[in-house]
Amino acid sequence: MAKRAHDCLINVHFGDTEQPAWMHRVKNEYFKQDDAIFRKWEMSQVLDEMDANGVERAILTGNVNDRNSSAIKFAEARPDRFALTAGGFDLLRPMQALRLLESFVADYPVATASAGPAFWGDGQYPPDNAVYYPLYVKCCELDLPLCMNAGLPGPPIPGEAQNPIYYDRVMVRFPELRLCMIHGADPWWEIAVRLMIKYPNLHLMTSAWAPKYLPGALLDYMRTRGKTKIIFASDAPILSITRTVGEAERLDLPPEVLDNYLYGNAQRFFFDRLEKPHGALGPDARPVTP
């Protein structure tokens, strides 16, 4: 059992509504799972699995347009164990999107905003497109981390917009932005690593990746210059908390690096901010440093 861990992306909302056809395709064709992953997931079940694997806190996928989701109910009931992502924006309506984000952050324990370039606008808007700039500015103002997908997506949708090279221009223009590439960066791992070396505030989360399949280039980076840059997440129930924590513990990593991966990097990047007194964020916030 892990001594301590945070799971920075789980999906307790899957059982709330019928999932779209592309989710069933990726379940069947990519992850080889059955329909059980879309069943209702009770909070007690989630907490039991977290406790069994040493997971102190989890970040649940939230949507600013849905305030009745299981994710919000869990976070309201147990803010000591659950925080939220804030996603679901229509970035072509920037003022509406920013109002929704500010309201969501004010009302709930939000650990991060989120956006998936391949998952809206038919994949036509890579991260360096100006349509994201209002979101970047607002996240900087709020000292709010932002998670954005990188790598080719599993679903059958256009994925070129998620090439991590687009984050190069983003980090040049918004060096204060605390940005985490999520779901790995396949097949562009080496580009992602090079960008993280270049930019102190750029991180990567291994959500939706079984740790035993993480590439050697990423593991080498974790052992050397990237000790503080890589963040663990399961993407449960796509991949279970139990499987991913167990596989992470069996990686050939020094104890300090493993602890950072499972716990310390997430604590610094996401949770330290949530533990500040309300209203402590703002102009005195400083970028994360490696």
Side-chain angles (χ1 to χ4, degrees):
M1 186 181 74
K3 291 182 178 179
R4 57 181 187 171
H6 292 312
D7 191 338
C8 295
L9 200 163
I10 66 175
N11 304 285
V12 301
H13 67 288
F14 277 172
D16 292 349
T17 59
E18 174 61 29
Q19 293 300 304
W22 60 263
M23 275 296 294
H24 285 273
R25 283 194 60 181
V26 75
K27 167 186 68 71
N28 295 330
E29 300 169 11
Y30 204 77
F31 289 100
K32 309 297 184 183
Q33 299 277 19
D34 59 34
D35 287 340
I37 66 170
F38 295 148
R39 292 175 187 161
K40 192 75 172 177
W41 202 6
E42 299 297 335
M43 186 170 68
S44 60
Q45 294 175 291
V46 181
L47 288 169
D48 286 347
E49 189 170 2
M50 289 169 61
D51 291 342
N53 291 281
V55 175
E56 294 183 8
R57 301 179 76 170
I59 299 176
L60 313 180
T61 302
N63 188 311
V64 296
N65 301 294
D66 181 5
R67 295 200 170 208
N68 294 307
S69 71
S70 293
I72 286 180
K73 293 173 183 176
F74 286 20
E76 288 184 319
R78 292 297 305 269
D80 59 319
R81 303 300 300 275
F82 299 116
L84 297 167
T85 66
F89 306 107
D90 179 0
L91 295 173
L92 298 179
R93 301 291 182 270
M95 293 311 298
Q96 178 187 22
L98 297 189
R99 292 187 186 106
L100 286 169
L101 174 59
E102 287 186 317
S103 174
F104 204 76
V105 169
D107 291 344
Y108 305 113
V110 176
T112 177
S114 64
F119 289 82
W120 75 284
D122 196 32
Q124 296 290 326
Y125 301 98
D128 65 348
N129 191 287
V131 73
Y132 294 95
Y133 284 15
L135 177 62
Y136 298 157
V137 169
K138 183 56 64 177
C139 285
C140 291
E141 288 178 351
L142 296 175
D143 189 34
L144 181 67
L146 175 62
C147 288
M148 296 184 71
N149 297 48
L152 287 176
I157 55 178
E160 188 269 340
Q162 293 185 177
N163 188 326
I165 193 61
Y166 290 112
Y167 295 114
D168 190 26
R169 198 178 303 276
V170 173
M171 299 313 297
V172 167
R173 293 177 175 172
F174 297 92
E176 304 87 353
L177 181 65
R178 301 169 62 192
L179 179 62
C180 184
M181 300 175 284
I182 65 172
H183 297 342
D186 191 66
W188 302 297
W189 295 100
E190 292 184 356
I191 293 174
V193 166
R194 183 65 187 87
L195 290 172
M196 285 187 284
I197 293 171
K198 188 176 179 181
Y199 299 113
N201 273 351
L202 185 62
H203 295 66
L204 182 142
M205 185 188 296
T206 61
S207 47
W209 275 86
K212 69 179 181 180
Y213 294 125
L214 292 174
L218 185 73
L219 296 174
D220 288 343
Y221 175 64
M222 293 169 70
R223 297 183 194 104
T224 55
R225 300 179 71 174
K227 292 181 175 69
T228 64
K229 289 300 198 84
I230 310 303
I231 296 172
F232 169 79
S234 64
D235 203 26
I238 297 292
L239 295 173
S240 74
I241 298 170
T242 300
R243 173 184 175 179
T244 51
V245 170
E247 289 186 6
E249 289 189 286
R250 292 189 289 273
L251 293 172
D252 182 18
L253 297 173
E256 177 189 3
V257 174
L258 179 62
D259 184 64
N260 271 344
Y261 172 47
L262 285 172
Y263 182 87
N265 296 341
Q267 181 65 38
R268 288 187 292 271
F269 194 76
F270 294 117
F271 295 113
D272 282 352
R273 170 189 164 276
L274 286 178
E275 292 167 5
K276 293 179 183 179
H278 182 70
L281 306 179
D284 293 331
R286 294 289 182 267
V288 177
T289 56

